Amino acid sequence: MIGLFQFTVTPTTDPRSLGAFNNPIFFWLLLIIITALILVGGLFLIRAILKNKYKTNKAFNRTLIKILVPKERKSEGQGGQISQDDRLDQVKEEIAITETFFSSIAGLKAQSGFKNWLLGRTDHFSFEIVVQNNLIYFYIDSPTKMKTMIEQQIQAQYPYAEIEMIEDYNIFSESSKIVGAYLTTKQIGVFPLKTYKNMDSDPLASVLNSLAKIYEKNSSAAIQFVIRSAPKKWRRKGIEIVREVRKGKKFESVVHTNWFGKFLRAVGENVFGKKEKKDTLTENKYQLSQKEEEMIKGIEDKLAKGGVDVNIRILSVADDENIARENIHNLVNSFSQYNLYRYGNSFEASIPRTQSTIIRDFIYRSFIDKNKSIMNTEEMAGLWHLPLRSTEAPNIKWLDSRKAPPPSNIAKEGLLLGHSQYRGIDVPIYMKEADRRRHLYIIGKSGSGKSVYIKNLAIQDIKNNKGVCVIDPHGDLVEDILEHIPKNRVDDVIIFNPSDTERPIGLNMLEAKTEDQKDFAVQEMISIFYKLFPPEMIGPMFEHQMRNVMLTLMADINDTGTVIDIPRMFTDDTYVKTYLKKLKDPVVKAFWEKEMAKTSDFHKSEMLGYLISKVGRFVENEMMRNIMGQQKSGFNFRNIMDNEKILLVNLAKGTTGEVNAKLLGLIIVAKLQMAALSRSDIPEDERKDFYLYIDEFQNFITDSISTILSEARKYKLDLIIAHQYMGQLIDSKGKSEIREAVLGNAGTICSFRIGPEDADLLSKEFTPTFGAFDLINVPQYTCYTKLLIDNTASRPFNMMVYPPQKGNKELASAIKELSRLKYGRDKTIVETELLLRTQIGDASSKAKPIPTEPSL
């Protein structure tokens, strides 16, 4: 081997040609270079492997945020019209909000250092627009450590947006055919794209319309902008271009000169410096055209704003590959509006032959340097922003209604109304007992969650040993509440159910303990008749006659007549005399002795027919006769209030009848009001709060509702009233006194989903926090609340009600049976008493001895 080596370097070769190889310095230099190349190559190989390995880890240390914004238009000025220029200015102003958002990202310091070079940067964000299940969603993916910054930026720029941290969405299925494409800029990044400020409409509208047309089954698409702050050096090339062109050089010579061209030019200037100088002096300076001047200005404008590195990916998914390709071509074409073809920049799309890489990078939201483009914040705002108020693209997933935070001074105890979820914080909403005395008003369409809300509140009061009355026009509410009665309160329950005809519970409106109560009862009965019949059928003569007859029947407090006795008062003089003996009111006596005594039988019969037409429906109806014909009510309303009992009134129209249910409800509300006012005989601090819940309350109140709302709180009768729409509070003459009384006196208002007309009216109560659009679109089991806190109305906020809980049906059945036995009376006994007292039919021949009620 040694001989062979010696032969190869025989001195017969020219030593001058081998001198460099014989030089040990050159040898070691060459060895170092080769070694360095091998190390650098190995380092880049290791870098590629590590980047790929850590790509998955980076993907799992991120947070995906779904953003919804409300669709609400601003007022369009006088006549509902605004000019095109004003509309365009509004569009640009709204898009500029997002530009501020991107500026905060561009202002972040770009990650640098060997570790970030080796493993890849982790400070990128992904802004995405996705169509899935025929709805368009907007997402932002952020590194978890920067999630708070993104949240704060969204909340600052879009205060009414709803943000939700979600698990990643999935647009793929087993049968999916996927086509992906990259969008990159053709020119170097310093050249500008067309921005929203230079367009006549929202540039994103075209993209959204293309997404909205993807409606085939199992078809989806996503546009992904992965961005990160660009290093400061991105502006150098732009500054050089502007400087050189300003010196008189042509765009082409400056733009297309790479580092090798610069090197050759520098060598030429060193070698032929004098000649070049001479040629330059003799050469005419290049004059820029107007368009070129505009492009210089465009480059300068782009450099003046923050810059970001961007990867743009578009994925189309469908069961049919042809459909997937057609959709992605439509989406790519929608980006052509951003192109500036001369001395500007434009997009070009590339669809890889192998789709696995782009799909993987899409899923991991990876930033790939070779697909990088450079945008400034103005360009990014035009490419991605949340939908505007003026956006008319279909299928966008809008926020149904806006949200607002609960008051900071919300009570920590009391009645639990619901809970408020705002920006990830769940706050229970309580209402103090003192504030409840100013009453609670609830409005909402059927199915919006009113009944669940009322049930939750009533059950709480019952479990807290409060006195409660629930008037239910449907029956379901009472049945649900019964299932949640605590066992220790079973004996407190009174169920008034008119449809239980076997054991009717008496309800006598003409019961009164004092002279004041007599006048109130009579006036309420007159008001009830006005409520039940058209006003033209109730005149002054009817009022006059009915008032005197009812006051006569109430002459004896211990032996009061009933509404059922009214017809007999006009046909049986002997029966009248039994009441006249104890009648003390001289005016009422004069009615019988001077007015009725001089009335002929003919006129009496006419009068009787007129009255019977109003009262007869209750006399002739067996169910109503057995209830209203009992002289003693089955329970004492004052006792119920003072001893905090539970009165559940089931007025289901299907079993009771609409008119009957309305009459009974009106009487019960009037009796409760009488009982509340009678509390004046005890000190206010000794009066116990009693809570009256009325669903569809417009059916069960008279014009005296304003008195109840304004004065009953002094006697601690606290109302919770609910109904469906404002039109129910307007009477047949178009008068709105009841509506004004409710809105003017109700301390707390809860508005579930309502109709447009009501929204226009109630929006005045909730402005400026919420508008009519919000009131119309509030989700189910959610309401907008204007809560009374320490006798002061709070700023409106949204509140969710708690879901219903499962109850005990067996216990409910037992309570119903116990109540009917305690407070109802046997039908046979009631009917026999009525026959004897009212002489309905031939009582003298048919009456039998009154059977006795079996004791419990």
Side-chain angles (χ1 to χ4, degrees), residues 784-829:
Y784 286 129
T785 304
K786 193 174 181 181
L787 181 65
L788 197 70
I789 303 175
D790 296 328
N791 208 32
T792 303
S794 71
R795 186 179 178 88
F797 63 97
N798 56 288
M799 180 181 72
M800 300 172 64
V801 303
Y802 289 104
Q805 302 295 319
K806 187 177 180 181
N808 187 336
K809 292 186 177 181
E810 291 76 14
L811 180 61
S813 299
I815 294 173
K816 283 192 287 186
E817 187 62 26
L818 178 62
S819 175
R820 70 190 296 268
L821 291 174
K822 286 177 66 176
Y823 300 100
R825 300 181 67 203
D826 186 85
K827 177 182 178 181
T828 306
I829 298 173

Side-chain angles (χ1 to χ4, degrees), residues 182-202:
Y182 296 103
L183 275 186
T184 54
T185 52
K186 292 183 178 180
Q187 302 291 345
I188 56 176
V190 296
F191 281 91
L193 292 163
K194 188 183 292 186
T195 70
Y196 69 91
K197 291 186 177 179
N198 302 319
M199 297 186 185
D200 296 330
S201 62
D202 177 11

Side-chain angles (χ1 to χ4, degrees), residues 595-641:
E595 184 176 337
M596 292 301 296
K598 296 179 181 180
T599 303
S600 65
D601 292 339
F602 174 76
H603 288 97
K604 282 185 179 179
S605 64
E606 282 189 336
M607 188 185 302
L608 178 63
Y610 182 66
L611 294 171
I612 286 292
S613 66
K614 312 296 182 298
V615 184
R617 66 172 64 192
F618 311 120
V619 177
E620 296 159 4
N621 183 284
E622 179 184 343
M623 178 185 71
M624 295 296 290
R625 184 171 65 244
N626 290 346
I627 293 172
M628 299 180 64
Q630 298 186 48
Q631 288 181 285
K632 297 293 182 181
S633 296
F635 45 86
N636 185 297
F637 286 90
R638 174 67 183 270
N639 180 61
I640 289 174
M641 296 181 72

Side-chain angles (χ1 to χ4, degrees), residues 675-688:
L677 296 176
S678 72
R679 284 179 152 188
S680 59
D681 59 1
I682 60 174
E684 185 173 349
D685 59 348
E686 294 181 14
R687 300 167 192 165
K688 297 177 180 178

Side-chain angles (χ1 to χ4, degrees), residues 45 96 192 219 271 353 523 534 573 645 656:
L45 179 61
S219 294
V271 176
R353 291 184 179 179
Q523 188 57 45
D573 292 336
K645 301 288 187 180
T656 305

